[in-house]
Amino acid sequence: MQMPTASQRAKYIEIFILTLATIFASIELGLCIHERININDLAGSSATERLDYIIFCSGWTIIFCIVWILAALMVNSGILASPTPHIVYFVFTAVLWLAAGFLWRDETKDNGCDFGHDMCGTNKTIQGITWMQALKHVIGTITTLRKMQSDTKAKSDAVKMTGDYSDDTRYDTVYLTDRV
């Protein structure tokens, strides 16, 4: 049995991270909707607006993680197979979750949750999952960058082994100057 290449391992890790992000975004969505219903009488308050933002982040993560998982499993070429859109998604989503984490942290501090009120358990859970989502997307970015690096190295090694430099533009200049 052949061992998976570094690129294949990175792909499996990326799928695992996206699956975890989907699961925890679903949990976060449920918690935020529950909390939103409980504080419905505070319509227009900063708490409800921040919960709405976290609900948006959860929905965004669920939808796009499912798209990227399906793309990783089914598409072998094209734009969805390229690591660049993955990096853009991971960085953008990590920024969304970091903003959500900071906003919710401020909300819990403003409501006195640093001193251990009864209703603060759910708030701390929402905050913890928010930070975890941001961390997972940062790790996804790093994994995708490693995949790019291993793909580049594998292509470079293949060129060295076969002697086929047709894709490498550095050698076109050498060939042109040799012909003169």
Side-chain angles (χ1 to χ4, degrees):
M1 187 165 111
Q2 188 179 11
M3 292 293 293
T5 64
S7 179
Q8 290 170 331
R9 285 192 304 269
K11 179 179 176 180
Y12 299 143
I13 292 169
E14 183 179 357
I15 290 172
F16 178 72
I17 290 170
L18 290 169
T19 303
L20 281 178
T22 304
I23 291 169
F24 282 103
S26 301
I27 293 169
E28 182 88 357
L29 183 65
L31 283 170
C32 288
I33 289 174
H34 173 74
E35 191 72 13
R36 180 73 165 85
I37 290 170
N38 284 344
I39 60 170
N40 196 23
D41 58 338
L42 300 174
S45 72
S46 66
T48 57
E49 291 170 357
R50 291 172 186 196
L51 279 172
D52 290 342
Y53 178 72
I54 296 173
I55 290 170
F56 165 77
C57 289
S58 298
W60 167 276
T61 302
I62 292 168
I63 290 169
F64 280 99
C65 280
I66 290 171
V67 167
W68 287 120
I69 289 170
L70 292 175
L73 294 173
M74 296 159 81
V75 179
N76 290 327
S77 64
I79 190 73
L80 290 179
S82 172
T84 305
H86 291 248
I87 291 171
V88 170
Y89 163 75
F90 278 126
V91 169
F92 183 72
T93 307
V95 169
L96 287 177
W97 281 109
L98 284 170
F102 283 116
L103 287 171
W104 197 250
R105 184 197 65 186
D106 291 344
E107 184 62 34
T108 55
K109 279 187 176 183
D110 291 346
N111 290 335
C113 279
D114 289 339
F115 302 109
H117 290 160
D118 294 336
M119 293 302 290
C120 292
T122 304
N123 290 335
K124 291 294 185 179
T125 304
I126 290 171
Q127 184 179 359
I129 293 175
T130 303
W131 290 121
M132 188 172 53
Q133 288 286 53
L135 179 64
K136 275 193 294 249
H137 285 84
V138 169
I139 291 171
T141 303
I142 294 168
T143 302
T144 306
L145 288 171
R146 286 287 295 155
K147 180 181 176 192
M148 276 179 60
Q149 181 184 20
S150 65
D151 287 348
T152 304
K153 185 177 180 329
K155 184 177 178 181
S156 174
D157 290 346
V159 166
K160 287 178 187 173
M161 292 175 70
T162 62
D164 180 16
Y165 297 106
S166 60
D167 288 350
D168 200 341
T169 56
R170 294 177 299 166
Y171 295 101
D172 291 341
T173 307
V174 174
Y175 290 143
L176 291 174
T177 57
D178 288 346
R179 292 182 191 153
V180 174

